[in-house]
Amino acid sequence: MNKKLKLLLLTFIFIPVFVYANDSYVNYYGIEMNETEYSNLLGLGFTEEEIYHMEEEEFNANKNIESSLEATTTKYYVETVRYDSTGRVVHSNTSEVTEEEYNDDMILNMRSTATTETTYKKMVTTIAQAGTKYRYKVTLTWKQLPKVRSYDIIGIGIEPSLVSITSDVVFNQTYCISNSCTNTNSYYTDSYHTTGAGVSFKLASNSGITGLRSYFYYDVSKKNSNQTLNYQYADGDYSHATSTITASLSEWYYVNQTGIVLYDNISGYYDAISSAEAEWSGTW
């Protein structure tokens, strides 16, 4: 009998449960992968749930890259936004919380009111060795869905004296409705800088969404191929629009070593969270 690893998903919090039967893996889209391919994906910073929802094009682009996950930084945030009777933001505050606070089941019972919204989210930044290059990746997962789903921004800042971006950027947004999950990357605009890159994108606004996650990554090479690097860092960042904004206005930003920098004309539309910086030390 041809036995395969079956992957089951608890969609709200994006946690797949694996039932081991053999060394063959089948994901949500029916893609079969062997143990080496699966290990390569994990080494690039993809999580089990991201591999579970990976489509064929992305799988084929990454499955044969020999990789090693070198650094990971995770941050958890709580955001409270107050609106007036017209829906205008009158106060917004975001702060970091502990993993224990984020994982408190009581959070799932919280409900926003007409004038106040409280949401929790998690951001993870990774640095992975990807063949002869390194890959920088950031993932933002919502524990509760935000009231405003307009054009958000996700990006990663770099130290331009050490590395340069040498690949296309890749963006993915996954949302789940009941037991059905969808990847979408159609509604985004990328932005490259010598100090980093990012994308502005339409946050999924379908009704009935029970899970929502976005990730973004690119590869870097040494700025000077003859130089030996002993450290590098990646600043993952995310800006959520707490007020409705147009696609064109959402492009008024850049990314540098500290993360996403918003121009003054749009800064009032977005929240502000601390970036999640992953640091690597070694010899490259």
Side-chain angles (χ1 to χ4, degrees):
M1 182 175 62
N2 182 21
K3 297 180 179 179
K4 299 177 180 178
L5 183 71
K6 303 297 184 182
L7 292 83
L8 307 177
L9 185 68
L10 303 177
T11 58
F12 184 84
I13 52 176
F14 288 108
I15 299 178
V17 178
F18 297 98
V19 180
Y20 184 78
N22 206 338
D23 59 353
S24 182
Y25 303 76
V26 179
N27 78 355
Y28 179 81
Y29 291 99
I31 298 173
E32 185 172 349
M33 57 195 79
N34 60 43
E35 188 173 356
T36 298
E37 293 168 337
Y38 185 77
S39 179
N40 285 341
L41 296 177
L42 289 174
L44 289 170
F46 293 108
T47 63
E48 292 177 348
E49 55 267 28
E50 289 167 356
I51 297 172
Y52 179 81
H53 286 111
M54 186 173 290
E55 296 189 44
E56 188 170 11
E57 181 178 359
E58 188 171 25
F59 170 70
N60 289 335
N62 290 282
K63 65 180 181 180
N64 294 321
I65 300 176
E66 294 184 5
S67 59
S68 173
L69 186 59
E70 300 290 332
T72 302
T73 294
T74 303
K75 287 191 175 184
Y76 305 89
Y77 311 88
V78 58
E79 179 176 38
T80 301
V81 182
R82 286 193 292 114
Y83 302 87
D84 63 16
S85 59
T86 67
R88 183 178 63 90
V89 175
V90 294
H91 177 75
S92 176
N93 180 69
T94 303
S95 58
E96 290 186 41
V97 296
T98 66
E99 181 179 6
E100 291 72 22
E101 290 172 306
Y102 177 85
N103 288 326
D104 188 342
D105 289 340
M106 291 298 294
I107 292 173
L108 297 177
N109 297 322
M110 297 177 62
R111 293 291 183 269
S112 297
T113 68
T115 58
T116 304
E117 175 189 51
T118 300
T119 55
Y120 284 74
K121 53 194 172 187
K122 175 177 72 172
M123 185 161 62
V124 181
T125 305
T126 59
I127 296 176
Q129 186 172 3
T132 60
K133 301 180 179 182
Y134 277 80
R135 174 166 295 178
Y136 296 171
K137 179 174 177 287
V138 61
T139 302
L140 193 288
T141 303
W142 292 92
K143 187 160 188 175
Q144 295 109 342
L145 302 179
K147 177 180 179 179
V148 175
R149 297 184 221 168
S150 189
Y151 287 88
D152 285 4
I153 304 167
I154 191 170
I156 306 170
I158 63 174
E159 173 48 62
S161 65
L162 301 177
V163 299
S164 56
I165 301 172
T166 53
S167 74
D168 292 335
V169 301
V170 178
F171 169 74
N172 174 277
Q173 179 177 207
T174 301
Y175 64 89
C176 294
I177 300 174
S178 186
N179 293 320
S180 176
C181 296
T182 302
N183 290 329
T184 175
N185 58 10
S186 301
Y187 305 103
Y188 76 90
T189 303
D190 54 40
S191 178
Y192 289 83
H193 313 274
T194 58
T195 52
V199 298
S200 57
F201 66 98
K202 181 66 173 68
L203 198 61
S205 56
N206 310 60
S207 61
I209 292 179
T210 54
L212 182 59
R213 178 188 64 239
S214 304
Y215 64 74
F216 170 82
Y217 62 85
Y218 55 73
D219 295 342
V220 299
S221 296
K222 289 190 289 187
K223 187 76 170 182
N224 182 348
S225 60
N226 296 319
Q227 180 183 13
T228 298
L229 297 185
N230 299 119
Y231 72 94
Q232 56 180 311
Y233 62 85
D235 265 291
D237 203 357
Y238 190 97
S239 293
H240 168 60
T242 55
S243 300
T244 301
I245 188 172
T246 64
S248 57
L249 272 179
S250 71
E251 299 171 22
W252 284 76
Y253 73 94
Y254 61 94
V255 184
N256 68 12
Q257 298 95 318
T258 64
I260 296 168
V261 180
L262 305 172
Y263 288 107
D264 289 344
N265 63 324
I266 70 166
S267 61
Y269 288 88
Y270 289 91
D271 65 4
I273 64 175
S274 57
S275 63
E277 180 181 271
E279 300 181 0
W280 169 93
S281 60
T283 301
W284 178 23

